[in-house]
Amino acid sequence: MDEIAQPVKPQDFAIPAGVFAETVTEVQHYTDHLFRFRITRPASFRFRSGEFVMIGLPNAEKPVFRAYSIASPSWDEEIEFFSIKVPDGPLTQHLQKLREGDTVLMRRKPTGTLVNDALLPGKRLYMFSTGTGIAPFASLIRDPETYEKFDEVILTHTCRQVAELRYGQEMVAALHDDPLVGEMARAQLRHYCSVTREAFPVTGRITDLMESGQIFEDLGVPPIAPETDRGMICGSMMMLRDTKARLEAFGLEEGANNKPATFVVERAFVD
């Protein structure tokens, strides 16, 4: 019998030192393996849009923690996450059963490389994502600083099936009416979706679309150039490797928080 099959209330196990215990305020399931949830935000918690944090559940004496990108912008009063569901994942097998009112543990220190400060100034920012890798970009495209730093923001999202695009599509559509960044998003944000295993207007891996030039033709922009373009990458290990190689072929160089350059990669993963 699995004694930790369900999320439990914090009184069942002591809350570890150095973590926040926050309450789930909303849960939405998109497919049988994708969902999002929102939790209360501690008054003292500060982060930069695009960063990730370690989260867990109060369902064991030593809870399992995993890195999750924060999908909400730094100004949001709550914290949002976009997650996969893995049947035997040490954390996700339990996380997917969350309900409103449940408790989520969150460590106090956010970090990450997908932040505006890690990039040199440029004209056009590409955000390359697959699956739940769109989460940090959901944060960044809702932050005014992103539009203040770049003239054009291109969010790419590649998934296996059309239904998996829904989180990003709904978010971008709602963003157009956002009182804070709506006007900037309508003028500067472009959302480019592709699917690899179903019929869709654009099909194929993002790296193939870059190599063939289709993405640039579809968007009506010139090929990526280090003088004008910047990149951020978040997705599977293979996608990170291949997209990084493609950007380097265009002449871009990888940067970091302590050494800004022309593209950055997030290497924190969720099982």
Side-chain angles (χ1 to χ4, degrees), residues 162-205:
V162 176
E164 297 169 350
L165 297 170
R166 183 178 156 200
Y167 173 77
Q169 291 171 329
E170 291 183 352
M171 176 187 55
V172 170
L175 194 62
H176 289 171
D177 296 321
D178 186 274
L180 182 62
V181 298
E183 185 176 350
M184 291 183 285
R186 288 194 300 272
Q188 297 168 247
L189 176 65
R190 306 184 70 178
H191 188 201
Y192 187 81
C193 298
S194 65
V195 172
T196 59
R197 297 191 181 180
E198 287 185 342
F200 192 69
V202 180
T203 58
R205 299 168 66 227

Side-chain angles (χ1 to χ4, degrees), residues 20-228:
F20 296 110
E22 299 304 313
T23 303
V24 176
T25 61
E26 184 181 352
V27 181
Q28 181 178 359
H29 295 266
Y30 293 94
T31 69
D32 58 2
H33 61 280
L34 289 174
F35 72 109
R36 74 175 179 96
F37 62 98
R38 292 173 69 86
I39 64 174
T40 53
R41 177 174 177 171
S44 62
F45 183 67
R46 298 288 182 270
F47 70 97
R48 294 180 295 173
S49 295
E51 289 188 315
F52 67 86
V53 70
M54 305 297 290
I55 66 171
L57 293 170
N59 58 359
E61 292 292 342
K62 294 183 178 180
V64 172
F65 282 87
R66 290 291 185 268
Y68 267 74
S69 291
I70 301 172
S72 46
S74 59
W75 52 261
D76 202 324
E77 294 180 354
E78 294 184 337
I79 298 175
E80 181 172 302
F81 299 101
F82 183 44
S83 179
I84 56 174
K85 307 175 188 178
V86 181
D88 56 353
L91 176 59
T92 55
Q93 65 170 306
H94 310 300
L95 202 64
Q96 63 186 283
K97 300 169 185 175
L98 282 177
R99 298 181 297 272
E100 290 183 23
D102 284 340
T103 298
V104 169
L105 305 180
M106 184 176 71
R107 288 188 175 156
R108 296 172 181 268
K109 184 174 174 57
T111 188
T113 57
L114 299 183
V115 293
N116 286 316
D117 292 343
L119 291 175
L120 295 171
K123 176 182 179 181
R124 186 179 297 109
L125 173 61
Y126 284 89
M127 299 174 170
F128 298 103
S129 68
T130 55
T132 56
I134 194 175
F137 304 139
S139 174
L140 283 160
I141 66 172
R142 289 185 269 188
D143 192 319
E145 182 186 354
T146 303
Y147 301 102
E148 293 164 359
K149 189 166 183 176
F150 299 96
D151 296 337
E152 187 173 17
V153 178
I154 298 173
L155 169 63
T156 83
H157 192 203
T158 300
C159 294
R160 295 178 179 180
Q161 299 174 319
V162 176
E164 297 169 350
L165 297 170
R166 183 178 156 200
Y167 173 77
Q169 291 171 329
E170 291 183 352
M171 176 187 55
V172 170
L175 194 62
H176 289 171
D177 296 321
D178 186 274
L180 182 62
V181 298
E183 185 176 350
M184 291 183 285
R186 288 194 300 272
Q188 297 168 247
L189 176 65
R190 306 184 70 178
H191 188 201
Y192 187 81
C193 298
S194 65
V195 172
T196 59
R197 297 191 181 180
E198 287 185 342
F200 192 69
V202 180
T203 58
R205 299 168 66 227
I206 191 63
T207 46
D208 293 337
L209 296 169
M210 294 163 68
E211 186 171 7
S212 69
Q214 181 179 340
I215 180 175
F216 310 120
E217 294 177 11
D218 290 344
L219 294 171
V221 297
I224 291 173
E227 296 78 17
T228 55

Side-chain angles (χ1 to χ4, degrees), residues 215-261:
I215 180 175
F216 310 120
E217 294 177 11
D218 290 344
L219 294 171
V221 297
I224 291 173
E227 296 78 17
T228 55
D229 298 305
R230 303 293 175 259
M232 293 180 168
I233 312 172
C234 192
S236 67
M237 183 74 79
M238 182 180 298
M239 179 268 193
L240 297 182
R241 181 197 66 203
D242 293 349
T243 308
K244 169 182 160 73
R246 179 51 46 195
L247 292 187
E248 288 175 338
F250 283 119
L252 273 62
E253 297 182 356
E254 185 174 358
N257 282 298
N258 59 354
K259 189 181 178 182

